[in-house]
Amino acid sequence: MQYSYITPEAIDTFIHQALQEDVGDGDHTSLASIPKGVQGRAQLILKDSGILAGMDVAKRIFECVDPALQLTINMKDGDRFEPGQIALTVSGSVHSILTAERLVLNTMQRMSGIASYTNQLQSLIAHTKAKVLDTRKTTPNFRMLEKWAVKIGGGVNHRYGLFDMILLKDNHVDFAGGIKQALQHSKKYIQETGKDLRIEIETRNLKEVQEALEEGGAFRIMLDNMSPAQMKEAVLLINHKAETEASGGINENTIVAVAESGVDYISIGSLSHSYKSKDMSLKAF
């Protein structure tokens, strides 16, 4: 796998837990209505337009449900699609196809929605150096696939969780007693624990930006809920001493002005909490 958080073990764990949630002790509708051993085929029809994501996961779902199922793959993750295209066909045990159907659709619809929205936003700022970042505002137990979808859509992953970066947000700063204290405590923590962690700090105004620069230790300074004009001033003040990240309710209507302020990254929680799933269905034929 190309991203450290995506491993065969992690994918299989997700699939097995999701199937247990959905299937329980059996798909009794299929078992009751269709005789055992009936063979059939179905095709995954795309009924929307956007960026396709989740194909690799879908293939593994079918494999986990029934290794004997035969797949014909017509498209790959990252492909742009239009209504009416057939992403894949599957043939074999009808019971197995129906067991896998909803998990495949739920996964691909959501991942494709995130990838498409990410791609839309990144395309809007293609004339700048800024890159779209995701956040931890993800669905519990679905984070791996949501962040994967962001990458497929052309975005950049932020930290995966609380364990792989020190990100000093406003509450951390306030509870610590201020910007300098939060940075001092964090640098001491890294020194005492020997952990390989980078520090990012959120700032809310130019005074806090200056304090962060004076204390040092942060590889990235977040500019939270600032106007594009304030961000531009902050970027000039930071002057490449740290990476810059804009945040705070940024969407398709405001992202261009933010990107043109000169920031390196723009974090957008709506990538994974306010996307629109793409419509698709698995139909017998």
Side-chain angles (χ1 to χ4, degrees):
M1 293 298 175
Q2 59 194 116
Y3 313 125
S4 61
Y5 57 87
I6 304 169
T7 65
E9 295 77 17
I11 292 172
D12 284 356
T13 296
F14 161 75
I15 292 171
H16 291 310
Q17 290 177 343
L19 288 172
Q20 180 58 42
E21 176 185 63
D22 194 36
V23 180
D25 68 347
D27 173 8
H28 298 302
T29 305
S30 298
L31 293 170
S33 61
I34 303 168
K36 185 178 181 180
V38 172
Q39 302 290 295
R41 59 181 183 168
Q43 53 189 7
L44 199 155
I45 306 170
L46 304 173
K47 303 163 75 174
D48 241 326
S49 59
I51 302 297
L52 193 65
M55 285 294 291
D56 287 342
V57 184
K59 287 186 284 187
R60 186 57 185 158
I61 291 169
F62 284 120
E63 290 172 358
C64 288
V65 168
D66 184 351
L69 289 174
Q70 297 295 310
L71 296 175
T72 300
I73 304 299
N74 301 325
M75 303 180 71
K76 65 182 184 301
D77 285 337
D79 283 352
R80 190 171 295 277
F81 64 89
E82 299 296 335
Q85 288 186 272
I86 307 300
L88 61 81
T89 60
V90 56
S91 60
S93 163
V94 168
H95 285 177
S96 297
I97 292 172
L98 293 174
T99 295
E101 175 187 8
R102 181 47 51 193
L103 181 53
V104 166
L105 289 174
N106 282 348
T107 300
M108 290 194 64
Q109 287 175 319
R110 286 157 175 75
M111 289 184 70
S112 296
I114 292 170
S116 299
Y117 188 41
T118 302
N119 184 263
Q120 175 192 349
L121 293 176
Q122 189 63 59
S123 297
L124 289 173
I125 59 172
H127 63 292
T128 73
K129 68 175 181 178
K131 299 295 183 183
V132 171
L133 277 178
D134 56 22
T135 71
R136 283 174 51 246
K137 295 176 182 177
T138 54
T139 308
N141 299 324
F142 202 69
R143 178 176 299 179
M144 172 180 66
L145 301 183
E146 289 175 337
K147 285 186 169 285
W148 191 355
V150 167
K151 291 286 288 187
I152 291 170
V156 177
N157 291 149
H158 209 310
R159 58 176 175 165
Y160 188 78
L162 293 170
F163 57 86
D164 57 357
M165 180 191 290
I166 293 175
L167 204 173
L168 301 166
K169 302 277 283 182
D170 53 356
N171 281 337
H172 302 98
V173 170
D174 291 341
F175 282 132
I179 293 284
K180 292 190 175 184
Q181 292 92 327
L183 284 168
Q184 288 167 0
H185 295 327
S186 298
K187 289 186 287 185
K188 183 179 179 183
Y189 176 83
I190 291 173
Q191 185 178 34
E192 291 177 346
T193 62
K195 292 187 177 297
D196 183 19
L197 296 169
R198 297 197 294 174
I199 302 171
E200 176 175 358
I201 189 160
E202 177 182 298
T203 59
R204 294 162 284 194
N205 50 59
L206 294 176
K207 179 177 178 293
E208 289 190 340
V209 171
Q210 185 61 49
E211 290 175 358
L213 290 171
E214 289 173 357
E215 180 59 38
F219 85 100
R220 184 183 297 165
I221 296 176
M222 183 187 296
L223 312 174
D224 188 55
N225 282 303
M226 296 185 191
S227 69
Q230 289 173 315
M231 289 181 191
K232 188 172 184 178
E233 195 171 345
V235 168
L236 291 173
L237 181 62
I238 293 167
N239 193 26
H240 305 293
K241 298 181 182 71
E243 295 177 358
T244 53
E245 174 187 335
S247 70
I250 299 162
N251 56 39
E252 60 268 28
N253 298 316
T254 58
I255 191 171
V256 173
V258 171
E260 290 177 349
S261 74
V263 295
D264 297 307
Y265 297 100
I266 303 173
S267 54
I268 304 177
S270 60
L271 293 181
S272 53
H273 71 59
S274 296
Y275 62 90
K276 184 180 184 299
S277 292
K278 293 299 180 179
D279 191 12
M280 52 188 73
S281 60
L282 190 69
K283 294 294 185 183
F285 73 106

